[in-house]
Amino acid sequence: MREPVEPSALDIGSLALFVGLAAGSAVQADLASQGFGDLRMSHGYVFQHLVDGRPTVSDLAARLDMTQQGASKVVAELERLGYVERLPSPRDARVRHVALTGKGRQAVTAARHARERLEARLRKRSGEATADGTRGTAFDVTRAVLVDLLDELGGTAAVHRRDVRPPH
């Protein structure tokens, strides 16, 4: 029998990762209840590049640090599910751009609302104020610490650019 791991003994990176994975699972469950149960967390890495743009599959492959074949496979899956479509380039008929469909935009909106609901739940769980009452709620302090740590570790720029890559 394995010894149980005490979460308070975890290093900050593992703890943040596990919180993020649990939050992602909660959002996935919320999305499934809204009819988007066919979306996977990994699809979000593609969606981030489609919210404000219409890249080619080659562009997506480069941005996601994957092969063109792999990117094409993910796009084909999302196309089959109705979340994206391939559109001809206005400049070159041989080039196709990937864009969110109406269903894809609905999924983005649903995911944003799911994250807002989760954040409200977590904010409520963390209580209304810190012990000293000077820096806002415990939730706000936690958020500020995580933002600082993200910046310290060099991840802020990728978030700004909507260029977060999947882990290897």
Side-chain angles (χ1 to χ4, degrees):
M1 186 163 114
R2 296 182 187 179
E3 283 193 41
V5 175
E6 186 58 41
S8 62
L10 292 171
D11 64 278
I12 192 74
S14 296
L15 189 57
L17 173 65
F18 298 154
V19 168
L21 291 172
S25 292
V27 169
Q28 289 298 116
D30 191 326
L31 285 172
S33 75
Q34 296 181 62
F36 299 104
D38 51 2
L39 284 174
R40 295 191 316 268
M41 202 177 308
S42 61
H43 291 144
Y45 292 105
V46 175
F47 274 52
Q48 72 179 331
H49 298 291
L50 304 178
V51 170
D52 295 325
R54 293 183 169 189
T56 65
V57 171
S58 296
D59 293 337
L60 278 175
R63 292 178 187 171
L64 296 171
D65 197 25
M66 63 190 312
T67 65
Q68 187 166 342
Q69 180 181 11
S72 185
K73 183 177 176 182
V74 173
V75 167
E77 176 187 12
L78 288 170
E79 192 173 31
R80 181 179 51 77
L81 295 171
Y83 293 105
V84 304
E85 60 187 338
R86 297 179 208 222
L87 302 171
S89 170
R91 293 184 209 108
D92 186 343
R94 299 169 295 169
V95 176
R96 310 283 284 172
H97 292 272
V98 182
L100 290 172
T101 61
K103 181 180 178 181
R105 294 217 173 269
Q106 289 173 350
V108 169
T109 300
R112 287 176 176 163
H113 290 300
R115 288 192 300 273
E116 287 169 3
R117 285 188 292 277
L118 176 61
E119 189 161 306
R121 176 179 141 207
L122 297 176
R123 180 180 290 281
K124 185 177 178 182
R125 165 78 186 245
S126 71
E128 292 303 314
T130 58
D132 64 6
T134 60
R135 293 184 62 198
T137 67
F139 187 88
D140 295 329
V141 172
T142 301
R143 177 191 295 284
V145 169
L146 289 172
V147 168
D148 285 345
L149 294 175
L150 181 66
D151 191 54
E152 173 65 24
L153 296 170
T156 305
V159 171
H160 283 296
R161 293 188 313 267
R162 290 187 189 267
D163 193 24
V164 178
R165 294 174 182 226
H168 289 276

